[in-house]
Amino acid sequence: MTDHTTYDGPILEIDNLSISFFTRLREIPAVMDFSCTVQPGEAMGLVGESGCGKSTVALGVMQDLGVNGRIVGGSIKFKGRDLGQMSQEELRDVRGSEIAMIYQEPMASLNPAMKIGKQLMEVPMIHEGTSKEEAYQMALEVVTDVKLPDPKRILESFPHQLSGGQQQRIVIAMALMSKPSLLILDEPTTALDVTVEAGIVQLVKELGTKYGTSMLFISHNLGLVLETCDRICVMYSGETVETGSIQDVFDKMQHPYTQALFRSIPLPGADKNARPLVAIPGNFPLPHERPMGCNFGPRCDYFEAGTCDKGPIPMSGVSFGDRHESRCMRISEIDWDAPITVAEQKEKGEIGDVVLRMDDLKKYYEVSANALFGGGKNKKVVKANETLSFEAHESETLAIVGESGCGKSTFAKVLMGLETATSGEVLLDNQSIGSTPIEARDTKTVSDVQMVFQNPFDTLNPSMTVGRQIIRALEVFKIGNSDDERRDKMLNLLDLVKLPRAFSDRMPRQLSGGQKQRVGIARAFAGGARIVVADEPVSALDVSVQAAVTDLLMEIQREEKTTLLFISHDLSIVRYLSDRVMVMYLGHVVELGTTDQVFAPPYHPYTEALLSAVPIADTSVEKKHIVLEGDIPSAMNPPPGCPFQTRCNWKSKVAGGLCEKDVPPMKTMSDGLQIKCHLSDADLAEMEPVIKIAAE
């Protein structure tokens, strides 16, 4: 085994790697001609959409490709030794102690029946033969390193007693126990809230510096890679298309796919009407249907027949930058600084009258302390929504923002009639619907309030064609007098969501995620909905598809004058498409105002932390760094006084312990912005902007 101290070459060298999976019918190439080098202490970001082969590369490094996967070309060297030539024993030594991997879902890496302390102690005991006492001390040290409160109590806990963010910290601690030289992180924060994500990202960076660990960071979030990595490798359909330092690739990109990717994500200050996101046309090619020549050719604005589709295209060096390479034949002919050609500018629909009003809505759930075992005497109350008041207008997009557990989805359920309000009123066109469950609502009310869900895979019936599912919705909403009329209306709805009419005969499994989400949208608009609640409608989709679906929602809204309630934790999309923003924390609305007001100071202290936590894929943006301490309290046992006081960085400014005693009043600032906070107007006026765009 090579000693950490004596080896000074690259930690990881992947050279022309090709990996295929073999099925009974054919060989499916997952990764082709992939090369990348990670130097000691360097963090390399691997970016691309789902299905581009980035996780396959990671599994190749771990030599864990399963029964059907095989490396069919090239090599992977770790500290100068070829991993493909190692015996199982040698691999086992390297895998646990020198290369560690952190997966997307923390619970998948933890044993639910074993205390955390024991799981951590196993690592040094198995790999290094340390004694129990020594292993316990090491476990205590890494749990302190990953900034978990009360380490001794945590070591005595079972995984289910920790929150998602705490579980992910334990998994990171476990990976660090053997002080590995290479840490592979596969989308480690996708399942977490943004404020928790910000803490984890900060942690990974600090630990990388402290232990000198090299990192391979796999993500589809360009902003996250900008914040954590030194270098980046962009993948498309199994190949690297561009690689270089973060600064070079972000500011002077030299591949049409990288450029298209950046044009499909909203950046600070982008206006949805003047600078709409540009979605990448067409779809991702399936592995066995890749085109000749350049894989990105069929979707590329600069495609030239006879040049781009001749044969395999090699990576070639770019004349400037640090080890900057691109896989494109026309680099020198493309004008990379040409402005984006914007399609026709869209006019924002006039915002009309109030369609929906909520007055002091409360939603409490009663939970028996141990209902499982029949002892239901101790009832606990979960306060999911506390006195929510707001109104939404025709043609308006109101974004509802907050972390998981803040009550956004509960409020959506009350609106939909899936739950009824505990107290307060929900008025739709001045008609009270808050206490009417969905089965008691009339057809018009049901078709007026519709929902587009987060996960397009769960909302369609797998055994019914797409057309039939939309027709079924039309029947429920009593639209159309005959089957022919309904069929015409269904085809029009497919036109509305820009899907080919031929899709009406397809089954859901034949569609991609983005196409399924379009069918969900078509179904929601089947009854001419007045209000559409979009619950994280694009978070399960790839970046380039997000742009198309977001744009589609905006376009339908312009035509149909729909009120859109957009539930999300992605503030860059919220800033891009909403007119007003409502920030929620632990059941309370803590800030409510127009988008411009909410994104500029003064902020509620929670909004300030949220804005600072969102990764932004732009090197010219300077951000204030605010990392919240602690986890979100439980709605079953909320803190006294202000719900945010346990994590607030401004609390010391308020005298007399007010924050711990009283729930703050909702105060309205001079411009109409509402903030629920005890801070004085003078303190609020002192706040500085979180996001600054550096002058060019």
Side-chain angles (χ1 to χ4, degrees), residues 260-327:
L261 209 50
F262 274 91
R263 287 179 175 178
S264 62
I265 52 178
L267 292 175
D271 174 6
K272 64 181 170 191
N273 295 317
R275 186 182 165 247
L277 299 179
V278 183
I280 304 176
N283 280 317
F284 204 74
L286 291 168
H288 52 278
E289 294 173 359
R290 292 191 175 112
M292 265 298 281
C294 175
N295 283 342
F296 188 59
R299 306 174 72 188
C300 179
D301 292 344
Y302 309 108
F303 179 77
E304 193 176 76
T307 307
C308 303
D309 53 5
K310 265 221 179 101
I313 294 169
M315 287 291 276
S316 51
V318 174
S319 55
F320 60 86
D322 171 24
R323 292 172 283 160
H324 189 174
E325 296 181 354
S326 167
R327 194 183 293 271

Side-chain angles (χ1 to χ4, degrees), residues 583-639:
V583 182
M584 286 182 73
Y585 185 82
L586 213 60
H588 291 259
V589 175
V590 293
E591 186 164 356
L592 178 61
T594 66
T595 307
D596 291 343
Q597 288 169 344
V598 172
F599 278 82
Y603 313 101
H604 184 280
Y606 175 59
T607 311
E608 181 186 48
L610 261 189
L611 288 174
S612 123
V614 175
I616 297 171
D618 189 339
T619 51
S620 64
V621 166
E622 289 173 24
K623 261 190 345 183
K624 234 163 91 176
H625 238 48
I626 304 161
V627 172
L628 291 180
E629 296 297 318
D631 281 318
I632 307 173
S634 147
M636 218 187 260
N637 188 11

Side-chain angles (χ1 to χ4, degrees), residues 16-17 61 63 82 129 172 196 199 207 241 246 273 277 333 355 376 400 518 521 559 584 595 604 612 648 678-679 684:
N16 296 13
L17 176 71
V61 174
Q63 296 285 314
D82 190 333
I172 292 174
V196 181
L207 294 171
V241 291
I246 293 280
N273 295 317
L277 299 179
E333 302 157 43
V355 178
I400 298 144
R518 286 164 187 259
I521 293 171
E559 284 172 26
M584 286 182 73
T595 307
H604 184 280
S612 123
C648 182
H678 284 303
L679 284 174
L684 287 169

